[in-house]
Coordinates of all heavy atoms in Angstrom, one line a residue:
A1 N -16.0 -160.9 101.2 CA -15.6 -159.9 102.1 C -16.0 -158.5 101.5 O -16.4 -158.4 100.4 CB -14.1 -159.9 102.4
E2 N -15.8 -157.5 102.3 CA -16.0 -156.1 102.0 C -14.7 -155.6 101.5 O -13.6 -155.9 101.9 CB -16.4 -155.3 103.2 CG -16.5 -153.9 103.1 CD -16.8 -153.2 104.4 OE1 -16.3 -153.6 105.5 OE2 -17.5 -152.1 104.4
L3 N -14.7 -154.7 100.5 CA -13.6 -153.9 100.0 C -13.7 -152.5 100.5 O -14.8 -151.9 100.4 CB -13.5 -153.9 98.5 CG -13.5 -155.3 97.8 CD1 -13.4 -155.1 96.3 CD2 -12.4 -156.2 98.3
V4 N -12.6 -151.9 100.9 CA -12.6 -150.5 101.4 C -11.7 -149.7 100.6 O -10.5 -150.1 100.4 CB -12.2 -150.4 102.9 CG1 -12.2 -149.0 103.4 CG2 -13.2 -151.3 103.8
F5 N -12.1 -148.5 100.1 CA -11.3 -147.6 99.3 C -11.3 -146.3 100.1 O -12.3 -145.6 100.2 CB -11.9 -147.4 97.9 CG -12.0 -148.7 97.1 CD1 -13.1 -149.5 97.2 CD2 -10.9 -149.0 96.3 CE1 -13.1 -150.7 96.5 CE2 -11.0 -150.2 95.5 CZ -12.1 -151.1 95.6
D6 N -10.1 -145.9 100.5 CA -10.0 -144.7 101.3 C -8.9 -143.9 100.7 O -7.7 -144.0 100.9 CB -9.6 -145.0 102.8 CG -9.5 -143.8 103.7 OD1 -9.8 -142.7 103.2 OD2 -9.0 -144.0 104.8
D7 N -9.3 -143.0 99.8 CA -8.4 -142.2 98.9 C -7.4 -143.2 98.2 O -6.2 -143.0 98.2 CB -7.6 -141.2 99.8 CG -8.4 -140.0 100.1 OD1 -9.4 -139.7 99.4 OD2 -8.0 -139.3 101.1
C8 N -8.0 -144.2 97.6 CA -7.2 -145.2 96.9 C -6.8 -144.6 95.5 O -7.7 -144.2 94.7 CB -8.0 -146.5 96.7 SG -7.2 -147.7 95.6
E9 N -5.5 -144.5 95.3 CA -5.0 -143.9 94.1 C -4.8 -145.0 93.0 O -4.1 -146.0 93.2 CB -3.7 -143.2 94.3 CG -3.8 -142.1 95.3 CD -2.5 -141.3 95.6 OE1 -1.5 -141.7 94.9 OE2 -2.5 -140.4 96.4
V10 N -5.5 -144.8 91.8 CA -5.4 -145.7 90.7 C -5.0 -145.0 89.5 O -5.5 -144.0 89.1 CB -6.9 -146.3 90.5 CG1 -6.8 -147.3 89.4 CG2 -7.4 -146.9 91.8
P11 N -3.9 -145.5 88.8 CA -3.4 -144.8 87.6 C -4.5 -144.8 86.5 O -5.3 -145.7 86.4 CB -2.2 -145.7 87.2 CG -1.8 -146.4 88.5 CD -3.1 -146.7 89.2
E12 N -4.4 -143.8 85.7 CA -5.3 -143.6 84.6 C -5.2 -144.8 83.7 O -6.2 -145.2 83.0 CB -5.1 -142.3 83.9 CG -6.1 -142.0 82.8 CD -5.9 -140.6 82.2 OE1 -4.8 -140.0 82.5 OE2 -6.7 -140.1 81.5
D13 N -4.1 -145.4 83.6 CA -3.9 -146.6 82.7 C -4.7 -147.8 83.2 O -4.8 -148.7 82.4 CB -2.4 -147.0 82.7 CG -1.5 -146.0 81.9 OD1 -2.1 -145.2 81.2 OD2 -0.3 -146.0 82.1
N14 N -5.2 -147.7 84.4 CA -6.0 -148.9 84.9 C -7.5 -148.7 84.7 O -8.3 -149.5 85.1 CB -5.7 -149.0 86.4 CG -4.4 -149.7 86.7 OD1 -3.4 -149.4 86.1 ND2 -4.4 -150.7 87.5
V15 N -7.9 -147.7 83.9 CA -9.3 -147.6 83.4 C -9.4 -148.7 82.3 O -8.7 -148.8 81.4 CB -9.6 -146.3 82.9 CG1 -11.0 -146.3 82.2 CG2 -9.6 -145.2 84.0
M16 N -10.4 -149.6 82.5 CA -10.7 -150.6 81.5 C -11.9 -150.4 80.8 O -13.0 -150.2 81.4 CB -10.8 -152.0 82.3 CG -10.8 -153.2 81.3 SD -10.8 -154.8 82.1 CE -12.5 -154.9 82.6
G17 N -11.8 -150.3 79.5 CA -13.0 -149.9 78.7 C -13.2 -148.4 78.6 O -12.4 -147.7 79.2
P18 N -14.3 -148.0 78.0 CA -14.5 -146.5 77.9 C -14.8 -145.8 79.2 O -15.5 -146.4 80.1 CB -15.7 -146.5 76.9 CG -16.4 -147.8 77.1 CD -15.4 -148.8 77.4
L19 N -14.4 -144.6 79.3 CA -14.7 -143.8 80.5 C -16.2 -143.5 80.5 O -16.8 -143.2 79.4 CB -14.0 -142.4 80.4 CG -14.2 -141.4 81.5 CD1 -13.7 -142.0 82.9 CD2 -13.6 -140.1 81.2
N20 N -16.9 -143.7 81.6 CA -18.3 -143.6 81.7 C -19.1 -144.7 80.9 O -20.3 -144.5 80.7 CB -18.8 -142.2 81.4 CG -18.3 -141.2 82.3 OD1 -18.2 -141.4 83.5 ND2 -18.0 -140.0 81.8
G21 N -18.4 -145.7 80.5 CA -19.0 -146.8 79.8 C -19.1 -148.1 80.6 O -19.2 -149.2 80.0
G22 N -19.0 -147.9 81.9 CA -19.0 -149.1 82.8 C -20.3 -149.9 82.7 O -20.3 -151.1 83.0
V23 N -21.4 -149.3 82.5 CA -22.7 -150.0 82.4 C -22.7 -151.1 81.3 O -23.1 -152.2 81.5 CB -23.9 -149.1 82.3 CG1 -25.1 -149.9 81.8 CG2 -24.2 -148.4 83.6
E24 N -22.1 -150.7 80.2 CA -22.0 -151.7 79.0 C -21.1 -152.8 79.4 O -21.4 -154.0 79.1 CB -21.5 -151.0 77.8 CG -21.4 -151.9 76.6 CD -20.8 -151.2 75.4 OE1 -20.4 -150.0 75.4 OE2 -20.6 -151.9 74.3

């Protein structure tokens, strides 16, 4: 299915891995 994000608020604690390091 498709996922829809419409002003979806995500806590900073839910960043996994390094910021801007998602490609790795």
Side-chain angles (χ1 to χ4, degrees):
E2 176 188 33
L3 306 180
V4 178
F5 299 86
D6 184 8
D7 284 338
C8 175
E9 298 182 3
V10 182
E12 189 173 9
D13 288 345
N14 283 46
V15 171
M16 188 174 79
L19 182 65
N20 294 322
V23 164
E24 182 185 359

